[in-house]
Amino acid sequence: MNSSTNPDSNTKTEDDLITVEYQGVELTAKFILRTKRDFAIEILSPYSGFLTGLHKPCFADPKSSFLNAEGIFKAEGMLIKLYIILKQFFENIESIKSEIPIIQEEHEVTNSKILELKNDLKNLKSKMKKKILTPLEYQRSIKPLKKEIKNLKGSKFDSFERLLEKNLQTIVPYNLRFEFYEFLIKETKAI
């Protein structure tokens, strides 16, 4: 591993590769970030383009560092976990893709509800400008609408999370769920 003499440095060269064998499969990844407290790796094979990483707060163990052997050990473990999740994902990709139209329908319904609520917000603002509502009444009226819009936007991603839970036998970290979502958007151009 190439690193500078500064133990807190995150400067690495392109040859910062990690290779580990797991159940007869050679897994390869590269560090895209590596500091004393954080690292992120991108898997290169047998899958590619997916990321994982770890952050360790200073108060957890101020003497530890991901710039030494501990960082390699942790990165190898994270690479194996990432591989297991990706393997399940790609083994079930056809089942997952087949359910995308259901999610798309849910999103259309949700989008129409959000549009209605946004129109309600515009109407309330118009009423305030026409002095039908006081600014205080306006603020009290828009708060629940904005909260409902926020919840509806979150529910769009929840439907995708339920799809992953149904098709995968492992817990998928939040950042990876988002990467799967983006991957399927590109693959199906449907969501």
Side-chain angles (χ1 to χ4, degrees), residues 23 52 83 112 176:
Q23 296 182 345
T52 190
Y83 167 74
S112 68
L176 197 53

Side-chain angles (χ1 to χ4, degrees), residues 89-129:
F89 178 73
F90 284 104
E91 285 173 351
N92 294 294
I93 192 78
E94 293 308 316
S95 174
I96 293 169
K97 283 182 178 180
S98 72
E99 296 187 43
I100 294 297
I102 297 167
I103 291 177
Q104 186 179 16
E105 287 177 24
E106 288 178 14
H107 287 191
E108 287 173 7
V109 169
T110 301
N111 286 339
S112 68
K113 288 179 184 176
I114 290 171
L115 187 59
E116 286 176 27
L117 291 168
K118 285 182 176 182
N119 286 333
D120 291 347
L121 287 172
K122 285 179 186 176
N123 290 336
L124 288 170
K125 189 170 191 170
S126 174
K127 286 181 180 181
M128 183 186 68
K129 285 182 177 182

Side-chain angles (χ1 to χ4, degrees), residues 33-46:
L33 169 73
R34 190 169 179 205
T35 67
K36 186 175 180 178
R37 298 274 156 234
D38 304 277
F39 74 82
I41 59 172
E42 177 180 358
I43 191 167
L44 301 174
S45 73

Side-chain angles (χ1 to χ4, degrees), residues 1-18 30-41 65-69 71-72 75:
M1 303 298 302
N2 296 336
S3 66
S4 69
T5 56
N6 179 358
D8 291 327
S9 171
N10 64 352
T11 306
K12 294 292 171 188
T13 62
E14 284 298 311
D15 63 341
D16 280 342
L17 296 178
I18 307 153
K30 69 176 180 178
F31 281 102
I32 57 172
L33 169 73
R34 190 169 179 205
T35 67
K36 186 175 180 178
R37 298 274 156 234
D38 304 277
F39 74 82
I41 59 172
S65 172
F66 290 139
L67 294 173
N68 56 24
I72 300 295

